[in-house]
């Protein structure tokens, strides 16, 4: 699986060249809703962070349905599911289609691509055969590509292409991964902290440690954590490791630094993941580093990073509940 | 502090009678943005959940600034800060005022009330002298009250009044609290799980255990957790307690039940918090139960539930960084 992370730069270039089928210009779009779960949904979270500087607000929903009040004639809905068979995403996309025809699809195949074909929706069929989480930059580039082709420019193509260069720094990524590996190797339940601006990266770090390394993780976001979570540690009996993600804003780094010192004072071992560049570069590079780290942690623990047994059990349950959930989700 | 939770019903009736100063009708509002942190911000999260059934989508922001793309002429901004002096909320409210005059304020005093007076914004000055977290129903009722007076009806007044009745069931609330207390009393870092529909209640449970009991908590929301977090527990060495919040939807309860059994199978002790009634009744009653429980857990641990030393340290730091944060937040 490691080799797929190693090919992120190559995959990204490939994704830049994908064709958008049923491409057309969508007029009057003011906001974007992204539907997706897990390794596909995180792409939505990252896009939402990057788009904070654009003219389009982006909202991400991760459920079997979406509240009908979030979609109007100015909303573009983007559904992302690597397999194209994620029940949550299929049902919420069908729900969205009851309200609007401004829907696009990113998937490697499955029911979502069929749905796109049947409804004449713009879609990109991306490279198949990977674990969704190791296809992160493919889905990210494809999403920007599809949106831009439909007239929704969240980031200039040149800026995106320049940002992808960070995926070429494999030596540096492996060096940072080694540090992170050493920091996390004995951790039983690390705390991952980021500012709201980088919350999607904190969640990505968690998800990679969950799926690849089989380690539970607690994520907390500042400044909100200073209003409650910080108090939880005052008399805590459980103390492990805290990984903090730095920011491109100076004052946010002062808050990160303050919290690292505060936690250290309580006997919690801390590490600040220092990144460079702009928001998108930090997301890409940070994701690459944690991808490599989480694979190595799995190997250390004698576990297969690719296998996710418990998700298979969940998917079996969904087979049984599919009809019932579909009925309720449709009527909500 | 316990006595304040005991008076929630009384406080709520008082809040129903609050006057909205500078009340006026806002025309053409299509969406709501709520600004607030900690015990005040959670009111926004709860309102967002309740409003999922209304015609207005509600988005909550918890930072020193807000992305400027989220506000347009159809947006109403509601700022909630119990003290009225929360720096994050003051700065993001000022940021909002650069884009719109459709702003309302809920506070017991402080700079936010001054800001409202100076700008002729609709506001409610709520009862002061409580810890923000123990003023939850006051802020919630005041928020619905202000919005409704401004022409934004998220919930009918009769429905709200009927829901408040659950706060009269003190005997039942204390009984459930005793059960929850026994379940949590030896917990070092409990996992709290809810469906997306009840995520604000899971966060409220966490915040109360953080602030009152000084216990760190990890919150996970389903169905998203079935795509990553569930795998983290497969080989986990740290095993504690899992508190799961049930739902008013049958299929969601089947997913909750499945996850409770899955965790139990791994050796994690589980408890399903069973609630009754509609969404707002569940939020109110669930918040009351965890409020009482968290105070009793503090007492058991020999801690003062009211005192939050680490938040005071954070606020000292903010005094130093105030100017710098203000400059950056203003220009974003």
């Amino acid at each position: 699986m490691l080799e797929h992370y190693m090919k992120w730069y190559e995959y990204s270039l490939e994704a830049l060249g994908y064709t958008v089928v049923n491409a057309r210009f969508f007029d009057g779009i003011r906001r974007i809703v992204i539907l997706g779960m897990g390794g596909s949904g995180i792409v939505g979270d990252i896009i939402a962070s990057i788009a904070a500087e654009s003219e389009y607000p982006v909202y991400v929903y991760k459920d079997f349905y979406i509240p009908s009040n979030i979609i109007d004639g100015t909303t573009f809905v983007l559904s992302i599911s690597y397999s194209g068979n994620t029940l949550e995403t299929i049902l919420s996309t069908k729900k969205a289609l009851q309200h609007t025809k401004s829907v696009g699809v990113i998937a490697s195949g499955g029911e979502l691509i069929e749905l796109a074909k049947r409804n004449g929706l713009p879609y990109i069929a991306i490279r198949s055969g990977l674990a969704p989480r190791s296809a992160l930059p493919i889905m990210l580039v494809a999403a920007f590509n599809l949106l831009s082709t439909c007239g929704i420019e969240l980031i200039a193509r040149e800026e995106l292409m320049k940002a992808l260069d960070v995926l070429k720094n494999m030596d540096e990524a492996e060096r940072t991964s080694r540090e992170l590996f050493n920091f996390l190797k004995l951790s039983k339940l690390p705390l991952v902290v980021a500012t709201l601006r980088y919350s999607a990266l904190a969640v990505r770090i968690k998800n990679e440690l969950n799926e690849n390394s089989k380690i539970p993780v607690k994520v907390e976001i500042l400044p909100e954590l200073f209003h409650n979570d910080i108090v939880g540690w005052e008399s805590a009996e459980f103390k492990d490791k805290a990984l903090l993600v730095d920011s491109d804003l100076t004052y946010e780094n002062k808050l990160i630094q303050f919290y690292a010192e505060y936690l250290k004072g309580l006997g919690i071992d801390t590490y600040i993941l220092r990144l460079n560049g702009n928001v998108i570069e930090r997301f890409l590079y940070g994701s690459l580093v944690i991808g490599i780290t989480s694979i190595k942690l799995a190997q250390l623990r004698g576990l297969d990073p690719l296998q996710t047994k418990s998700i298979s059990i969940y998917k079996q349950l969904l087979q049984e509940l599919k009809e019932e959930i579909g009925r309720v989700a449709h009527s909500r």
Side-chain angles (χ1 to χ4, degrees), chain A:
Chain A
M1 196 177 177
L2 188 59
E3 69 278 16
H4 297 147
Y5 288 91
M6 297 301 195
K7 286 187 183 158
W8 272 15
Y9 182 65
E10 194 181 305
Y11 288 161
S12 304
L13 295 188
E14 180 181 298
L16 279 171
Y18 284 143
T19 308
V20 183
V21 186
N22 298 327
R24 66 182 182 89
F25 186 85
F26 288 80
D27 215 8
I29 297 300
R30 300 285 303 277
R31 49 191 59 81
I32 297 159
V33 165
I34 300 184
L35 310 176
M37 306 299 296
S40 306
I42 193 74
V43 177
D45 299 324
I46 295 175
I47 292 173
S49 304
I50 294 168
E53 322 262 306
S54 81
E55 64 184 290
Y56 303 95
V58 176
Y59 306 104
V60 185
Y61 287 87
K62 303 183 177 186
D63 208 340
F64 295 97
Y65 64 96
I66 44 170
S68 42
N69 61 21
I70 61 162
I71 294 179
D72 63 18
T74 68
T75 314
F76 187 88
V77 178
L78 181 63
S79 299
I80 309 178
S81 161
Y82 184 73
S83 68
N85 289 321
T86 312
L87 184 62
E88 292 91 332
T89 315
I90 293 168
L91 292 178
S92 52
T93 303
K94 286 182 177 168
K95 187 75 207 284
L97 281 167
Q98 292 175 10
H99 299 282
T100 181
K101 292 292 159 207
S102 304
V103 178
V105 167
I106 305 283
S108 67
E111 202 174 325
L112 271 176
I113 293 290
E114 290 312 311
L115 195 72
K117 287 181 180 167
R118 225 162 41 233
N119 290 275
L121 309 175
Y123 71 87
I124 295 179
I126 59 177
R127 164 194 280 266
S128 63
L130 302 174
R133 55 194 176 282
S134 66
L136 178 84
I138 300 179
M139 290 187 274
L140 189 67
V141 170
F144 283 128
N145 187 343
L146 186 145
L147 289 169
S148 152
T149 307
C150 293
I152 304 154
E153 183 109 326
L154 296 185
I155 175 175
R157 192 177 167 92
E158 298 65 43
E159 197 183 339
L160 178 60
M161 286 179 69
K162 191 184 154 290
L164 293 175
D165 279 350
V166 299
L167 299 177
K168 288 197 282 190
N169 300 344
M170 288 311 302
D171 285 354
E172 199 190 321
E174 292 200 73
R175 211 159 38 235
T176 314
S177 292
R178 266 194 299 277
E179 265 187 53
L180 207 48
F181 170 86
N182 283 321
F183 176 71
L184 289 172
K185 66 185 176 194
L186 297 177
S187 180
K188 293 185 169 62
L189 195 157
L191 170 67
V192 176
V193 171
T195 63
L196 188 58
R197 215 168 150 68
Y198 291 96
S199 56
L201 185 52
V203 173
R204 173 68 182 186
I205 291 171
K206 170 192 179 303
N207 294 353
E208 290 288 82
L209 292 172
N210 291 159
E211 286 195 86
N212 288 337
S213 325
K214 282 76 177 168
I215 297 174
V217 178
K218 170 173 153 71
V219 167
E220 294 299 331
I221 301 305
L222 71 79
E224 174 64 10
L225 70 80
F226 290 130
H227 296 268
N228 31 61
D229 208 69
I230 189 174
V231 187
W233 296 102
E234 282 183 16
S235 306
E237 293 171 57
F238 175 80
K239 288 170 188 179
D240 192 89
K241 307 258 180 179
L243 167 61
L244 301 96
V245 179
D246 82 345
S247 165
D248 58 323
L249 298 182
T250 310
Y251 84 79
E252 289 197 341
N253 281 335
K254 289 183 183 168
L255 296 174
I256 286 283
Q257 190 65 45
F258 160 75
Y259 200 44
E261 278 159 27
Y262 176 81
L263 292 171
K264 222 181 292 173
L266 294 175
I268 294 169
D269 202 10
T270 63
Y271 178 93
I272 299 181
L273 178 61
R274 295 186 199 280
L275 302 168
N276 293 304
N278 62 22
V279 176
I280 182 162
E281 287 164 342
R282 285 164 179 257
F283 273 110
L284 286 168
Y285 183 74
S287 299
L288 178 61
V289 165
I290 193 63
I292 299 169
T293 308
S294 59
I295 298 268
K296 299 213 164 141
L297 285 167
Q299 289 163 348
L300 175 78
R301 293 156 63 90
L303 300 168
D304 178 359
L306 188 59
Q307 200 178 41
T308 53
K309 284 183 236 169
S310 47
I311 298 183
S312 308
I313 303 174
Y314 167 64
K315 289 193 172 158
Q316 277 165 31
L317 173 72
L318 281 194
Q319 280 306 315
E320 292 165 34
L321 295 180
K322 202 171 167 170
E323 301 298 318
E324 179 182 351
I325 297 178
R327 265 196 317 277
V328 181
H330 183 81
S331 68
R332 290 217 66 79

